[in-house]
């Protein structure tokens, strides 16, 4: 049965398995990469789009239920950075999954609130909000909010992803030019029709 779930098989030398960059395929930021803001080494790093330069915070792996939940996308701190964070902070989260604030175990939250913010309830903080069958709150409550990193152990906050392969077909218009999406052929036909009128 095909589910769209990515099956990650760890490598012989790396339990996280293969990692790769995630690029924007279209739009004004086409070709830029998903990036953990400012090499944020602790939970709470915002996910941004930034020019690609393949450092650890632009390389992501996929969870298989061992170091990250199945279907999760996560960044892994290089060992030398994890050791330094452990030395400086006393606590290190070597695997940071994509998640949203306020979903999951609140003791594992990674955002510090001011007293004023604590008095205001966000849409996801009400008890009567919609829940999925697995008990997690609906992601619709976070519409318009930016994704952040969370400890991969905070499974309730981690977003599970499903993957849909994208097939790009090239089309050839009458002049022999090719286009990945067929727009050149459509524009070409329209221009010819205009000339005939």
């Amino acid at each position: 049965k095909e589910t769209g779930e990515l099956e990650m098989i760890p490598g012989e030398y790396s339990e996280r398995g293969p990692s790769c960059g995630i690029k924007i395929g279209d739009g004004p930021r086409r070709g830029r990469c998903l990036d953990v803001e400012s090499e944020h080494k602790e939970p709470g790093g915002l996910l941004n789009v930034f020019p690609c330069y393949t450092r650890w915070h632009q390389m992501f792996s996929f969870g298989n239920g061992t170091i990250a939940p199945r279907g999760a996308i996560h960044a892994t701190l290089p060992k030398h950075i994890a050791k330094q964070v452990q030395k400086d902070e006393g606590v290190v989260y070597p695997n940071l999954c994509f998640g949203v604030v306020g979903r999951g175990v609140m003791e594992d939250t990674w955002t510090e609130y001011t007293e004023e913010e604590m008095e205001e309830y966000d849409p996801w903080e009400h008890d009567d909000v919609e829940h999925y069958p697995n008990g997690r709150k609906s992601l619709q409550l976070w519409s318009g909010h930016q994704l952040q990193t969370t400890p991969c152990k905070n499974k309730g906050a981690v977003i599970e992803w499903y993957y849909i392969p994208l097939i790009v077909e090239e089309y050839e218009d009458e002049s022999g030019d090719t286009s990945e999406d067929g727009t050149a052929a459509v524009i070409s036909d329209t221009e010819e029709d205009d000339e005939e009128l």
Side-chain angles (χ1 to χ4, degrees):
K1 179 179 175 182
E2 295 183 27
T3 63
E5 188 174 19
L6 186 69
E7 187 68 34
M8 188 283 287
I9 301 171
E12 185 175 335
Y13 301 103
S14 171
E15 67 178 339
R16 76 168 188 247
S19 28
C20 62
I22 299 176
K23 279 190 176 183
I24 303 299
D26 200 6
R29 295 186 176 187
R30 180 182 179 150
R32 292 188 177 202
C33 288
L34 196 58
D35 180 272
V36 177
E37 174 188 48
S38 304
E39 300 184 45
H40 205 88
K41 300 168 193 74
E42 296 84 25
L46 298 176
L47 295 171
N48 294 311
V49 176
F50 200 76
C52 303
Y53 58 99
T54 54
R55 294 197 52 196
W56 74 266
H57 52 92
Q58 289 186 346
M59 301 300 291
F60 303 101
S61 299
F62 305 93
N64 70 348
T66 55
I67 60 174
R70 292 182 70 82
I73 300 175
H74 65 95
T76 300
L77 293 175
K79 288 185 179 186
H80 70 283
I81 292 176
K83 285 180 185 177
Q84 188 62 45
V85 171
Q86 178 73 40
K87 181 181 171 187
D88 296 344
E89 306 292 329
V91 176
V92 65
Y93 298 98
N95 302 295
L96 297 168
C97 287
F98 293 10
V100 291
V101 68
R103 188 174 186 235
V105 179
M106 291 311 290
E107 287 79 37
D108 288 333
T109 191
W110 56 93
T111 302
E112 296 180 20
Y113 294 101
T114 65
E115 286 184 31
E116 292 172 356
E117 289 173 327
M118 288 296 284
E119 292 175 10
E120 296 176 18
Y121 281 110
D122 285 309
W124 56 82
E125 295 179 295
H126 296 279
D127 292 331
D128 60 345
V129 298
E130 180 184 352
H131 285 71
Y132 291 123
N134 64 5
R136 294 184 184 169
K137 296 175 184 176
S138 169
L139 283 174
Q140 292 297 319
L141 298 169
W142 285 269
S143 178
H145 289 265
Q146 196 166 357
L147 293 177
Q148 298 184 7
T149 58
T150 182
C152 290
K153 69 177 186 139
N154 188 4
K155 293 181 182 178
V158 174
I159 298 172
E160 296 174 11
W161 300 84
Y162 289 90
Y163 307 92
I164 301 169
L166 175 66
I167 300 170
V168 178
E169 296 181 8
E170 290 188 5
Y171 298 93
E172 193 171 302
D173 66 12
E174 292 174 6
S175 65
D177 294 332
T178 58
S179 168
E180 290 184 359
D181 61 1
T183 55
V186 173
I187 292 169
S188 166
D189 291 345
T190 305
E191 288 171 356
E192 287 176 12
D193 291 343
D194 288 344
E195 288 175 11
E196 291 174 6
L197 293 175

